[in-house]
């Protein structure tokens, strides 16, 4: 049986280590990762191997040659352009005809028993066998579910936390029968787990998962790179270590000079012909490369030094990686997570803060304090994007400098000459950041149409106009006046999809920004009649017939936000008797706090009941969401407000589909069915309702998130509090029922929520525990795992995408049953943590 080693990856997340060398050549305890892989193959009898190469292919060829030194025969097959995991192997088909073959990644460290995997493959009569491994964080991998016999039941590539239903992931190690390659089109981009395997599974072909007991680490981040070194030194992975174990856990290579006065606390490794002077202290999990020099009184802990590195007297390094041929001079201090590329000079007494990245061929001057990368630092979080775009403390986490880099990254994802809108809320911080963003966009050859201060729905509306590629809006974070959100919009005015967010995140982290030549710098313009055009199109799209005749009286609270720019004049055009409050731009209070919101709603209720109004609404400061008060001045909670509007819309339409997140009460189904409508359940992410509206087209009559956000499909696929209010005016005018009457007629829901703290490292095992605990009960994995009881009660377990928390929802016929369900599943989550 032959082997295929995939060695074409760039390893972009590992830059600057991989800026000038391919990821498979990164050393782990002074051997390239790929060399560990080839030695594993040889150990299990695979002596003839095809290596697929693409990025810096010559370096790999030059290092391994024909494989003779390893006792192997290597063939190289190059891709002119990336062809995907399957397309790459198809490219090597001439070497693989007529017999099964194994596919393995050249940049993952493993000691999986390949002989036993081959046995498993033959015994099962499998067409494809996939090596599986349980990992604590499955987000970056493909999740696979198998039955008791190991037969694959389901694939899911790179899930969000809401989609995680197991921690058993695809390692990228496959054994295949040769005819599988017939499924791969030649010269096209094809992926095994995304294209070929699902097709085989659908046709009933025997695809099996081999759950491996050995070690496997996808060395894809700086943290996992350091962990791989530590695991080799600790003996957690069975690989060969060159050199002599001079004392327990202390390995020294050939020709190394290590002073007896040096302090060595293993496990650690010192490479061939390295020199460690008296008084130098090397602590646990440190690797010193070949020909490296560590001068007297230097200190290194959990640090990896590549070949030919010089560490000066008294230097202090903790949890860092130093690239080959780099000089770190006397008394330099480098902190956890920092990475210095090859051929750099860090002059004496310089200080590099945590997580700083220094790219190759740079010099850091003597005494410099480097808190930002010479290329730009990453923000040091799991993902650049949170649930509200890019968020953080004003002038601490979100600075004008960061805003410039974000805008540069966004511009780089667009074509030169593209048109982008910018907008903001009333705050001074948003104004400052928007100016920085505009400068960066125009400098990157982007035409900017600045909408200035407008409600967020108006910004989305204008961004969705023909010829506009996207938009950026800045607002104060809801509930936190000290923080700000930078929201990126796509060409239809919706929040960027997760895929587009990842693309922007990659450009930002790599800091590979585009610049325009002087003649290409974009223009800044200020479109006229923004609010008027929005109002005109809104009133043309949304049915307001009967409003004038009904002589409605409403109270509107603009919350001192941007809704004050449009709501009074808009309502005057509709013909409503309106009392508006807080209809000014309040720079001092640009966001809601809980106390402010409750105080305003209490006052709104008093005004509605005292004036005999039909109802009242309060908008959030960017007019994206609204709260409703009925004719009696009673607040209609957000979840009940969704049911009330659902009832009004479906009653008038006599059918259609309503898009709702899976966390919504199932009472919504009863309300929809009573009017001949149906519910389409979606995931809870902000863009999911928009996706549903786009996908279903005219069949969707309403979408809502249960938190005051509504989508009015006849006007826009994105959330819009102003459009929802205009829609509500028409519906109330044409019905003979008040909002309070409708609310009282809808059955009460028994729905409770709880949050359980969950460390990031065990979220995958928590979700696996939930699936296992569900047993034979029906499961819904639209978002998270929803376990449905025989009586229709249900509980939903959903990992938070941005925090170390797992959320639980439960609904049942009465409060006692719901409480029992919550307790049961909270116990499952907590036991998995233990």
């Amino acid at each position: 049986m032959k082997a295929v080693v995939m060695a074409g990856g760039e390893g972009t997340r590992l830059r600057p280590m991989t800026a000038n060398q391919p990821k498979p050549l990164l050393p782990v305890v002074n051997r390239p990762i790929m060399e560990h892989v080839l030695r594993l193959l040889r150990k299990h009898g695979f002596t003839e191997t095809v290596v697929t190469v693409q990025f810096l292919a010559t370096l790999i060829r030059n290092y391994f040659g024909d494989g003779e030194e390893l006792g192997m025969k290597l063939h190289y097959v190059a891709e002119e352009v990336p062809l995907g995991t399957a397309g790459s192997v198809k490219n090597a088909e001439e070497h693989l005809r007529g017999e099964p073959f194994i596919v393995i990644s050249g940049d993952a460290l493993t000691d999986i028993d390949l002989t036993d995997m081959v046995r498993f493959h033959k015994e099962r009569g499998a067409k494809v066998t996939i090596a599986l491994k349980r990992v604590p964080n499955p987000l970056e991998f493909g999740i696979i579910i198998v039955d008791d016999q190991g037969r694959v039941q389901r694939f899911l590539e790179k899930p969000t936390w809401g989609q995680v239903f197991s921690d058993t992931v695809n390692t990228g190690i496959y054994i295949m029968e040769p005819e599988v390659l017939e499924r791969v089109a030649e010269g096209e981009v094809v992926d095994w787990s995304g294209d070929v395997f699902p097709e085989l599974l659908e046709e009933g072909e025997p695809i099996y998962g081999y759950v491996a007991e050995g070690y496997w680490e996808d060395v894809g981040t700086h943290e996992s790179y350091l962990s791989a070194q530590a695991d080799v030194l600790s003996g957690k992975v069975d690989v060969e270590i060159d050199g002599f174990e001079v004392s327990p856990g202390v390995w020294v290579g050939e020709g190394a000079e290590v002073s007896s006065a040096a302090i060595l606390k293993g496990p650690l490794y010192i490479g061939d012909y390295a020199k460690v002077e008296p008084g130098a202290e090397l602590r646990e999990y440190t690797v010193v490369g070949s020909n490296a020099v560590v001068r007297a009184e230097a200190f290194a802990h959990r640090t990896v030094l590549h070949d030919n590195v010089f560490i000066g007297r008294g230097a202090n390094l903790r949890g860092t990686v130093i690239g080959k041929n780099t000089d770190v001079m006397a008394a330099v201090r480098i902190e956890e997570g920092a990475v210095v590329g090859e051929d750099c000079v860090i002059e004496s007494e310089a200080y590099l803060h945590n997580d700083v990245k220094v790219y190759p061929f740079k010099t850091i001057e003597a005494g410099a304090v480097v808190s930002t990368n010479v290329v730009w630092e990453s923000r040091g979080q799991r993902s650049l994007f949170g649930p509200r775009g890019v968020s953080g403390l004003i002038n601490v986490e979100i600075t004008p400098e960061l805003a410039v880099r974000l805008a540069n990254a966004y511009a780089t994802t667009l074509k030169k000459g593209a048109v982008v809108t910018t907008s903001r809320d009333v705050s001074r911080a948003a104004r400052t950041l928007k100016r920085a963003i505009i400068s960066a966009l125009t400098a990157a050859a982007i035409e900017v149409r600045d909408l200035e201060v407008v409600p967020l729905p108006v910004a989305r509306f204008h961004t969705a106009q023909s010829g506009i590629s996207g938009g950026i809006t800045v607002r104060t974070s809801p509930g936190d006046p000290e923080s700000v959100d930078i929201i990126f919009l796509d060409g239809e005015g919706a929040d960027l999809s997760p895929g587009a967010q990842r693309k922007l995140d990659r450009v930002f982290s790599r800091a590979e920004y585009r610049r325009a030549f002087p003649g290409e710098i974009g223009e800044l313009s200020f479109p006229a009649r923004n609010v008027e055009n929005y109002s005109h199109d809104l009133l043309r799209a949304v049915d307001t017939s009967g409003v004038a005749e009904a002589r409605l009286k409403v109270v509107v609270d603009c919350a001192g936000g941007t809704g004050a720019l449009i709501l009074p004049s808009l309502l005057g055009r509709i013909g409503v008797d309106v009392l508006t409050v807080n209809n000014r731009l309040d720079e001092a209070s640009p966001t809601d706090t809980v106390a402010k919101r409750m105080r305003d709603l209490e006052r709104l209720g008093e005004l509605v009941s005292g004036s005999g109004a039909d109802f009242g609404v309060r908008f959030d400061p960017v007019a994206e969401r609204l709260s409703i008060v009925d004719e009696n001045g009673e607040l209609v909670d957000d979840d009940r407000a969704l049911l009330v509007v659902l009832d009004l819309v479906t009653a008038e339409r006599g059918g259609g589909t309503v898009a709702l997140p899976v966390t919504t009460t199932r009472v919504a189904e009863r309300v929809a069915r009573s009017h001949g409508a149906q519910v389409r359940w979606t995931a809870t992410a902000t863009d999911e309702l928009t996706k549903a509206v786009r996908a279903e087209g005219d069949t969707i009559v309403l979408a809502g998130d249960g938190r005051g956000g509504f989508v009015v499909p006849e006007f826009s696929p994105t959330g819009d509090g102003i459009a929802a209010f205009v829609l509500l005016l028409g519906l109330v005018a044409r019905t003979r029922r008040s909002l309070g009457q409708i609310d009282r007629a809808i059955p009460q829901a028994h729905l409770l929520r709880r949050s359980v703290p969950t460390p990031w490292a065990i979220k995958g095992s928590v979700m696996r525990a939930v699936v296992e605990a569900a047993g034979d009960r029906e499961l819904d994995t639209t978002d998270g795992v929803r376990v449905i009881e025989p009586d229709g009660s249900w509980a939903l377990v959903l990992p938070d995408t941005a925090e170390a928390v797992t959320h639980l929802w439960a609904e049942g016929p009465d409060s006692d049953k719901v409480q029992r369900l919550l307790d049961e599943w909270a116990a499952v989550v907590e036991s998995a943590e233990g």
Side-chain angles (χ1 to χ4, degrees), residues 627-659:
S627 301
I628 299 174
V629 169
D630 69 15
E631 70 279 7
N632 301 312
E634 298 292 331
L635 173 65
V636 183
D637 290 336
D638 287 342
D639 53 349
R640 298 294 297 179
L642 175 59
L643 297 176
V644 169
V645 177
L646 167 63
D647 183 275
L648 281 165
V649 171
T650 54
E652 181 168 283
R653 300 290 179 87
T657 302
V658 180

Side-chain angles (χ1 to χ4, degrees), residues 31 36-47 49 67-72 114 240:
R31 272 189 187 157
H36 290 297
V37 172
L38 291 174
R39 287 175 182 253
L40 176 69
L41 288 169
R42 188 192 64 193
K43 176 182 175 181
H44 289 278
F46 298 92
T47 57
T49 297
E68 182 180 358
E69 289 187 12
L70 293 171
M72 305 180 77
L114 303 180
E240 298 176 31

Side-chain angles (χ1 to χ4, degrees), residues 127 288 293 314 538 548 673 727 766:
K127 187 82 71 176
V288 178
V293 175
L538 174 61
R673 278 200 304 267
L727 174 71
V766 164

Side-chain angles (χ1 to χ4, degrees), residues 27 29-31 63 242 252-256 269-275 287-294 304-310 322-326:
V29 190
N30 282 24
R31 272 189 187 157
Y63 185 93
D242 289 331
V252 177
E254 179 183 349
Y269 180 87
I270 299 170
D272 297 346
Y273 303 102
K275 182 177 181 180
V287 175
V288 178
S290 298
N291 303 303
V293 175
V294 182
V304 177
L305 310 178
H306 291 179
D307 294 348
N308 303 304
V309 166
F310 175 88
I322 308 296
K324 63 184 179 181
N325 305 319
T326 285

